[in-house]
């Protein structure tokens, strides 16, 4: 099981390195906090890899989500998507969220998200947090 996780991470980050995209990191705060790395594909698609934090490795969940940006301007992005989750609370992830970039420097911002986790259990997870965009044009 551990080898599969490592292989998954290597393939994900290896593939992402060859894509011309804008990279973003985030920290989502909830009762199951998680960190995220995403890259934007084209104008409307955001793929994001997420890892639960603040718990033992045995209870760490991994998520891969593909979001579509429905509304976007210079200050915010409203998105929704679909993804999968493995290891802990395995199943589907259905996020809807808002990224807000209120400062003149549009690299640093905030995010709010609500996501349904459907599978082993049914959970509605809410999170808020910070987001940083690298190489913003």
């Amino acid at each position: 099981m551990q080898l599969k996780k490592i292989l998954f991470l290597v393939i994900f980050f290896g593939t992402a390195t060859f894509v011309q995209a804008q990279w973003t990191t985030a920290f989502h705060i909830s009762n199951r906090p998680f960190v995220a790395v995403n890259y934007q594909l084209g104008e409307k698609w955001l793929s994001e890899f997420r890892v639960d934090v603040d718990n033992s490795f045995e209870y760490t969940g991994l998520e891969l989500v593909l979001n579509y940006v429905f509304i976007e301007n210079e200050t915010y992005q409203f998105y929704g998507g679909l993804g999968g989750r493995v290891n802990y609370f395995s199943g589907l992830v259905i996020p809807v969220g808002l990224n807000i970039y209120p400062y003149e420097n549009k690299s640093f911002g905030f995010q709010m998200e609500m996501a349904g986790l459907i599978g082993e259990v049914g959970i509605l997870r809410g999170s808020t947090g910070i987001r940083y965009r690298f190489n913003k044009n």
Side-chain angles (χ1 to χ4, degrees), residues 68-133:
Y68 182 79
V69 178
F70 293 107
I71 302 170
E72 178 176 25
N73 69 24
E74 189 175 296
T75 307
Y76 68 89
Q77 296 173 317
F78 174 72
Y79 65 88
L82 182 65
R85 182 177 170 85
V86 295
N87 198 30
Y88 196 69
F89 296 141
S90 294
L92 288 176
V93 179
I94 306 169
V96 175
L98 184 63
N99 295 322
I100 303 168
Y101 300 96
Y103 304 113
E104 187 174 328
N105 177 353
K106 299 301 179 188
S107 294
F108 180 78
F110 304 96
Q111 59 84 27
M112 297 179 286
E113 183 179 282
M114 186 168 53
L117 307 178
I118 302 167
E120 292 176 0
V121 296
I123 296 175
L124 184 59
R125 175 184 67 196
S127 68
T128 185
I130 58 174
R131 187 170 293 278
Y132 185 81
R133 297 191 282 194

Side-chain angles (χ1 to χ4, degrees), residues 31-51:
N31 72 342
R32 291 200 62 83
F34 54 98
V35 295
V37 175
N38 87 23
Y39 58 94
Q40 186 165 347
L41 300 171
E43 294 293 317
K44 295 289 186 178
W45 295 98
L46 301 170
S47 62
E48 189 163 79
F49 176 69
R50 302 167 171 186
V51 178

